[in-house]
Amino acid sequence: MNPDHNSPAALKAENELLRRELKVAREAADITAELVVKQFEETEKMLQRVQAANAAKGNFLARMSHEIRTPMNGIIGLSHLLKKTPLNPQQTGYITNILNSTETLLSLINNILDFSKIDAGKLDLEKIPFKLQEVLDNLYGIVYLQIAEKGLELDFIIAPDIPEILIGDALRLNQILLNLISNAIKFTEAGKIMVSINLDILHKHDVRLRFSVCDSGIGLPPERIEHLFKPFNQANETTTRKYGGTGLGLTICRELVEMMGGQIHAESAPGQGSDFIFTAYFGLPYSDAAAAPKNRSLANSHPAQEPESRLRGIKILLVEDNPINREIATAFLKDLGISVAVAENGRAGVKAALSNAFDLVLMDIQMPEMDGLEAARRIRRQINSRTLPIVAMTAHATNEDRHKSLEAGMNEHINKPIDPIELHRVLTDLLPEHRPSLRAPSDFDDRRKEYPAERRQPDLPAIPGLDFDEALKRTNYKPELLKRLLKDFQINFSDTAGRLKKYRSAREQTKLKELLHTLKGVTGHIGARDINRLTLALENSLESAPAEYCDKLLEQLYLQLETLLEGIAENPDLAASSPESEDKNQTAAKSCDPTATIKTLKLLQTKLSKSEHIPDSLIRQLKKIHLPPHISDNSDKIIALIEDIEYDSATDELRQLLKSLTRRH
């Protein structure tokens, strides 16, 4: 050991060395910390610049898409107008090419805008109730002609255990499915496309569905599948040149699916078609839907039994101009023990609502004299929404239509064809004091299984173009009601094809759209799904699609109508005589039989006293009754009062008329 190492001088030197090293270390740490802070600040500034750039990009794309869209809409609109003028074949070809090009460009702009919104986190999903079947019907209407022109088949298969009403963004779901179906059509030259939807997971508050869009098209090699969902990617350059497209559609689909809590992937092989599969979560309108018992005994499961006792005594004003729709809605309401008064247009509906006490108003939207929106506005000027709820009923099923109804002062919006389960849900939501406490309407989803076969099947042979299962569901499983509706359809719509042709040739666009709208609502109720989808496709196409496209759809509609009407006419149980011949028979029987006349008037008196719906057949009988000259005007006055929903005054007049007749006889 060296003794000098322990000397005071040596220790002092060693401490000094350590002190210097510590100082250097501290300085290095300070420099490092300063560099870290500076680097963090630079990173934060860079992140802010990136965010600002993204925001600027999003704003730029939004502004540019708007600036491009405005003149583009002008070009499209003017091209459509120009196409309606006299043109030679070459000019018609030019205009058609202009329209096709502008529609393609507009689709590209929409895709870019959606992509930029998603990228910037500015795309929000709506959460509103919708029916999956209506989304599919709308899709079918949009792609119908493309399918028909290529000779393809398109099938939709919905698993029976999927809830009928879901909560989510129907518009974005439609966008995903439309993109996948359009791609399937584009890449399939022959065969079929199948869209299947199955229940994947059922929770108490939500459900995960599994969607599959499978085609028999050209298919894809495995190495290309992983790139499909990346922006601006397609299978290969040859595909882009031959089929077109930007490669954004599937990217947007992937983003929307992920926003819905799901995933998307594709399975394919060259020459063997493709299957695009995605999952998505949707809410359920009733929290106990998943726990609803599925195997109830028949004795305890009659669908109208419990709601009837709970809703008995409610008085509802039904404002609806179409007699078939009136009959259906009235039947549904009576099943629930509800008293129904009827107005046949918006003007009469306003007068009835303001002069009588009702618990709720069911208001059609598209009616003569005054539409339902204006009628609701006029009622709301004097009666608030809590005192008198108003529910819109319409075959227009878009979110925009729903918002219009709510803005007009209505409390709810239900779509035609009316679903009795949905109708019951709306009534119990808006009339909470009558809400059933033991059963939710979702419990009715399985009622078809609970009905014995003889109640489910009408005693009728198959009719081409008619889906009996759907029709029975729409008529609350009432075969006799369905038979009456089919008879009414034959009478009231036998000349529909001729009227459509007349309006089309005369370019009476408003009348054409009104008739299509009416036809869409009625055919939905009677299960004529193909006609219903065609009318939907025409409604979507009349304003924007080429005339040739609309004419082809109309030709298909004429054919389907003819087939359905012939099928009804050929069935002896459904063959209906014309209203005129019915009236003549009724007149011959009633006019010469005082006892029958009094019986008819007393039947009318009973219905008036209960504020029940007065059927058109009873009104026709009243018009044809031959009364003595001094009281002959009384029947006309009674009819006028009934049409104005002045039931109390009509009852008084009828009482006086009966008193006069019974004195004579």
Side-chain angles (χ1 to χ4, degrees):
M1 173 182 289
N2 189 347
D4 291 340
H5 286 172
N6 294 323
S7 67
L11 291 173
K12 183 178 180 179
E14 188 173 347
N15 287 337
E16 183 64 26
L17 180 61
L18 290 173
R19 196 178 295 115
R20 289 177 183 174
E21 289 177 350
L22 181 61
K23 182 179 179 182
V24 171
R26 284 175 178 172
E27 289 176 350
D30 289 343
I31 293 172
T32 302
E34 185 177 344
L35 288 173
V36 169
V37 171
K38 188 174 181 180
Q39 185 65 40
F40 178 80
E41 290 174 349
E42 288 294 327
T43 302
E44 191 173 20
K45 288 178 182 179
M46 185 178 297
L47 179 61
Q48 290 173 353
R49 286 196 296 269
V50 169
Q51 291 173 339
N54 278 333
K57 179 187 70 174
N59 291 332
F60 171 77
L61 287 172
R63 284 197 303 270
M64 286 305 298
S65 68
H66 174 76
E67 294 299 328
I68 297 173
R69 194 193 308 269
T70 301
M72 192 63 60
N73 285 333
I75 294 170
I76 293 172
L78 290 171
S79 298
H80 280 300
L81 292 174
L82 182 59
K83 198 169 184 180
K84 293 179 181 179
T85 64
L87 300 172
N88 62 42
Q90 187 179 31
Q91 292 169 329
T92 301
Y94 291 156
I95 291 296
T96 300
N97 288 336
I98 290 173
L99 283 168
N100 291 340
S101 298
T102 50
E103 292 287 356
T104 300
L105 183 54
L106 197 58
S107 175
L108 170 61
I109 293 167
N110 290 335
N111 279 343
I112 291 174
L113 183 59
D114 277 347
F115 182 70
S116 66
K117 282 182 179 178
I118 293 170
D119 195 42
K122 292 183 177 180
L123 187 69
D124 297 320
L125 297 180
E126 287 191 323
K127 293 183 178 180
I128 60 174
F130 71 93
K131 294 179 183 177
L132 182 59
Q133 184 63 59
E134 290 177 355
V135 173
L136 301 184
D137 286 345
N138 181 63
L139 282 167
Y140 188 89
I142 293 171
V143 303
Y144 175 83
L145 197 60
Q146 295 171 263
I147 291 288
E149 285 180 340
K150 296 189 76 170
L152 303 174
E153 294 180 37
L154 175 61
D155 290 335
F156 291 98
I157 301 174
I158 307 178
D161 54 352
I162 292 178
E164 185 169 9
I165 300 172
L166 304 170
I167 295 176
D169 196 323
L171 184 63
R172 294 302 178 181
L173 175 61
N174 183 90
Q175 183 177 352
I176 296 167
L177 288 170
L178 181 59
N179 189 287
L180 297 179
I181 294 171
S182 296
N183 282 348
I185 296 171
K186 185 190 299 184
F187 298 113
T188 304
E189 296 302 325
K192 71 187 304 181
I193 297 164
M194 182 177 294
V195 180
S196 57
I197 307 167
N198 290 284
L199 182 64
D200 202 20
I201 298 176
L202 178 65
H203 296 299
K204 186 174 183 180
H205 299 284
D206 59 22
V207 61
R208 188 172 79 185
L209 301 184
R210 182 180 186 275
F211 298 79
S212 166
V213 179
C214 185
D215 64 61
S216 56
I218 61 175
L220 290 167
E223 64 271 14
R224 297 301 307 172
I225 292 177
E226 60 181 287
H227 301 289
L228 280 176
F229 300 100
K230 296 179 181 178
F232 306 104
N233 269 278
Q234 286 198 327
N236 53 53
E237 292 301 319
T238 305
T239 300
T240 305
R241 287 194 299 270
K242 181 176 180 180
Y243 296 102
T246 62
L248 272 180
L250 289 176
T251 304
I252 294 170
C253 286
R254 185 200 67 203
E255 297 287 351
L256 291 174
V257 164
E258 290 176 356
M259 289 176 70
M260 294 179 178
Q263 294 181 327
I264 185 170
H265 72 279
E267 299 173 0
S268 185
Q272 298 182 25
S274 302
D275 189 3
F276 283 80
I277 301 162
F278 71 92
T279 56
Y281 278 92
F282 300 94
L284 296 173
Y286 295 96
S287 60
D288 58 347
K294 298 297 180 183
N295 295 314
R296 300 182 298 275
S297 67
L298 192 62
N300 296 322
S301 63
H302 191 286
Q305 183 176 353
E306 185 170 350
E308 180 177 350
S309 63
R310 301 275 177 166
L311 296 172
R312 184 179 297 281
I314 289 175
K315 189 174 181 180
I316 284 181
L317 173 63
L318 173 64
V319 188
E320 168 65 67
D321 66 308
N322 183 270
I324 294 179
N325 290 337
R326 283 201 303 270
E327 184 171 2
I328 293 167
T330 301
F332 288 171
L333 294 170
K334 286 184 177 179
D335 279 348
L336 300 173
I338 294 171
S339 177
V340 185
V342 175
E344 296 186 4
N345 59 63
R347 194 177 304 281
V350 172
K351 186 175 181 180
L354 298 181
S355 58
N356 297 276
F358 294 102
D359 295 293
L360 183 139
V361 177
L362 288 173
M363 181 80 72
D364 184 27
I365 297 298
Q366 193 163 312
M367 295 181 289
E369 295 194 36
M370 181 188 294
D371 65 38
L373 296 176
E374 179 58 26
R377 293 187 193 101
R378 296 195 182 191
I379 293 172
R380 283 289 171 255
R381 290 170 193 167
Q382 299 189 42
I383 305 177
N384 65 44
S385 59
R386 290 187 178 181
T387 304
L388 181 64
I390 304 176
V391 177
M393 302 186 304
T394 178
H396 291 310
T398 66
N399 291 337
E400 183 181 355
D401 294 312
R402 178 183 175 85
H403 292 322
K404 285 180 180 178
S405 299
L406 299 179
E407 287 174 359
M410 302 195 192
N411 301 67
E412 256 288 6
H413 178 109
I414 59 176
N415 297 326
K416 295 178 184 175
I418 299 170
D419 185 323
I421 300 174
E422 175 69 359
L423 178 62
H424 178 264
R425 181 193 70 79
V426 169
L427 293 180
T428 53
D429 281 352
L430 294 178
L431 302 169
E433 64 273 20
H434 299 281
R435 180 177 295 145
S437 58
L438 302 178
R439 171 193 289 173
S442 54
D443 289 344
F444 295 5
D445 288 342
D446 289 34
R447 63 189 167 188
R448 180 184 183 279
K449 300 175 185 176
E450 299 164 352
Y451 271 43
E454 61 270 17
R455 292 196 62 188
R456 294 204 307 261
Q457 294 299 327
D459 186 19
L460 296 170
I463 295 176
L466 197 67
D467 183 338
F468 274 129
D469 282 341
E470 178 71 12
L472 284 169
K473 177 182 173 183
R474 294 298 183 186
T475 53
N476 211 13
Y477 298 94
K478 294 176 176 288
E480 292 306 315
L481 173 59
L482 175 57
K483 288 181 182 180
R484 291 202 306 274
L485 295 177
L486 292 173
K487 289 178 182 179
D488 289 344
F489 183 81
Q490 186 196 9
I491 292 171
N492 294 310
F493 289 87
S494 58
D495 64 339
T496 298
R499 291 166 62 196
L500 289 170
K501 291 176 183 177
K502 175 185 173 184
Y503 297 151
R504 181 66 172 169
S505 62
R507 297 186 180 180
E508 296 184 75
Q509 199 80 336
T510 301
K511 290 184 178 180
L512 180 63
K513 289 169 66 177
E514 287 176 354
L515 182 54
L516 286 169
H517 180 80
T518 301
L519 185 62
K520 181 175 71 173
V522 172
T523 52
H525 278 124
I526 63 173
R529 181 166 286 175
D530 289 342
I531 295 178
N532 185 263
R533 287 170 169 171
L534 278 169
T535 56
L536 178 62
L538 277 160
E539 275 196 327
N540 292 336
S541 305
L542 279 176
E543 294 297 335
S544 57
E548 294 86 349
Y549 181 94
C550 296
D551 288 336
K552 288 180 181 179
L553 287 179
L554 281 166
E555 289 297 330
Q556 290 287 332
L557 180 58
Y558 302 151
L559 182 62
Q560 294 280 359
L561 273 170
E562 182 181 359
T563 301
L564 178 59
L565 289 167
E566 285 179 355
I568 296 173
E570 289 171 0
N571 189 288
D573 288 339
L574 296 178
S577 57
S578 67
E580 291 78 8
S581 62
E582 283 185 6
D583 290 340
K584 288 177 183 177
N585 294 336
Q586 292 163 357
T587 301
K590 303 295 182 184
S591 61
C592 61
D593 185 350
T595 303
T597 297
I598 292 173
K599 184 178 179 181
T600 298
L601 294 176
K602 285 189 174 181
L603 174 61
L604 178 61
Q605 186 180 40
T606 301
K607 288 185 173 294
L608 286 172
S609 67
K610 295 180 179 179
S611 297
E612 292 183 357
H613 168 57
I614 311 301
D616 291 343
S617 58
L618 191 54
I619 295 295
R620 289 201 297 270
Q621 290 181 37
L622 185 59
K623 288 179 179 179
K624 297 298 183 178
I625 287 175
H626 288 186
L627 296 172
H630 69 286
I631 57 172
S632 60
D633 291 340
N634 290 43
S635 63
D636 293 335
K637 188 173 182 180
I638 292 169
I639 291 169
L641 290 169
I642 291 172
E643 289 176 346
D644 288 339
I645 320 297
E646 298 284 356
Y647 282 8
D648 292 339
S649 300
T651 301
D652 292 338
E653 289 290 334
L654 186 57
R655 189 182 301 113
Q656 294 299 321
L657 179 58
L658 278 168
K659 191 180 295 184
S660 300
L661 287 172
T662 51
R663 279 201 299 265
R664 289 176 55 88
H665 300 284

